[in-house]
Amino acid sequence: MSLLVDAVTPFRFVLVRTAHPGNIGSAARAMRTMGFTRLDLVLPAHFPDPQATAMAAGADAVLADAGVHPDMIAGLAGCSMAIGLSARRRGVQLPEWSPREGAQQALAAAARGEQVALVFGNERTGLENAELAHCHGMVRIPSVDDFSSLNLAQAVQVMAYEMRLAMLADTRGTLAAPAANLPADAVQMEQFFTHLEQALDDIDFHKGRTPTTVMLRLRKLFQRAQMDERELRILHGILADTQRMARLAGVAGRDASGG
Ligand code: SAH
C-alpha cells in the first residue's frame, strides 16, 4: 500500500468551488486516513485558510501539496477518467454507479494506466451540468430521497473508504504498466471540443440556434468514446479539412454571386 502515497498515485480528489475552507481540511483528513494524498481545488472560495488547517488535524501535507486551479480543465489535466459525485442526477445522462461500483471503475482505469479524478461539487449547488459534462460517470451515495445531501467531507470519506476497500481487495496491482495508447486527457479533450465548436461554426451548422445544448450532447458523446491520442489526431485532421473546405466554399460562393 505504500505505493498509494507515491507521487505517481493515479487517483486525485478534486473539490470544485468549495465555499467553506473547513470542509477542505476535513476532506484532506478523510482522504489521508484512507491513504490518498492528492488533492486538487478548483476555484476554492478561501484557500489557504486557518480553518482548513485546523480541520485537517495533521493532514497538513495534503493541504500543502494541494493544487489550486482556475477551472475544471486545469484541475483534471492528465486525467482521462473523471467520476463526479452527486446527490442528484440533474438531467445529465451519465452512467450512474454506487460508490462501490465507482471504486471498481476507478481501479480498472488505473490498471489501464489512466489517471482518475473523483470530483466533488460546491456545498450548496453541487456539481452543475457543465461540470458533470467533464465526467465519464457519476457516483450517487444511496442516501434517503428526502434528505440526500451529505456534508462534502463526509461524501469524500465514503468514497475514499470504498476506494481503499477496493484497493485492499485488488490483486491485479493498480499500478500495472500503462497501456500503449492512453485515452486523451481533459486538456486534450477541451482542445478538441474548442476545435469542433469552431468547425461547426465555420460550416454554419447552428444556423442561428444557440449551440449550448448540442455542444453538451456532443461532449457527452465524445466523452463516452474515451478516444486515445491517435484517434483524436484523426478527428482534428477531419475538422481542419472541414474548415479548409468551408473556406474554399465561402470563396467559391462569393465568386459565384459576386461575379
Ligand atoms: N445540494 C447539493 C449538495 C451538495 S453537497 C446537491 O444536491 O448536489 C457537496 C458535495 O458532496 C456534492 O456536490 C457531492 O459531490 C457530494 N455529495 C453529497 N451528498 C452526496 C450523495 N448522496 N451522493 C454523492 N455525492 C454526494
Side-chain angles (χ1 to χ4, degrees), residues 16 84-88 90 99 119-127 138-144 147-156:
V16 182
L85 274 90
S86 181
R88 287 180 282 155
R90 296 179 173 276
V119 187
F120 298 78
N122 166 270
E123 292 90 332
R124 200 171 51 77
T125 54
L127 285 173
M138 204 190 94
V139 162
R140 207 181 67 79
I141 299 167
S143 46
V144 294
F147 206 86
S148 62
S149 179
L150 278 74
N151 163 269
L152 169 60
Q154 291 174 355
V156 168

Side-chain angles (χ1 to χ4, degrees), residues 36-172:
F36 300 100
T37 54
R38 175 144 187 197
L39 175 63
D40 284 275
L41 307 169
V42 176
L43 288 176
H46 309 282
F47 189 81
D49 189 278
Q51 283 184 52
T53 310
M55 294 305 282
D60 301 29
V62 175
L63 291 185
D65 289 347
V68 180
H69 309 282
D71 54 40
M72 257 183 91
I73 305 299
L76 296 180
C79 283
S80 48
M81 165 76 126
I83 301 178
L85 274 90
S86 181
R88 287 180 282 155
R89 295 220 61 178
R90 296 179 173 276
V92 176
Q93 299 298 309
L94 284 175
E96 189 180 313
W97 299 314
S98 70
R100 196 150 299 175
E101 290 164 342
Q104 292 298 342
Q105 294 284 343
L107 255 69
R112 295 191 295 266
E114 298 183 45
Q115 286 190 43
V116 181
L118 299 155
V119 187
F120 298 78
N122 166 270
E123 292 90 332
R124 200 171 51 77
T125 54
L127 285 173
E128 288 169 355
N129 282 348
E131 293 165 345
L132 277 172
H134 295 296
C135 297
H136 303 87
M138 204 190 94
V139 162
R140 207 181 67 79
I141 299 167
S143 46
V144 294
D145 285 343
D146 65 340
F147 206 86
S148 62
S149 179
L150 278 74
N151 163 269
L152 169 60
Q154 291 174 355
V156 168
Q157 185 75 75
V158 170
M159 197 59 216
Y161 171 69
E162 285 295 343
M163 294 283 295
R164 175 144 175 91
L165 278 190
M167 294 188 79
L168 288 171
D170 181 45
T171 48
R172 277 181 312 223

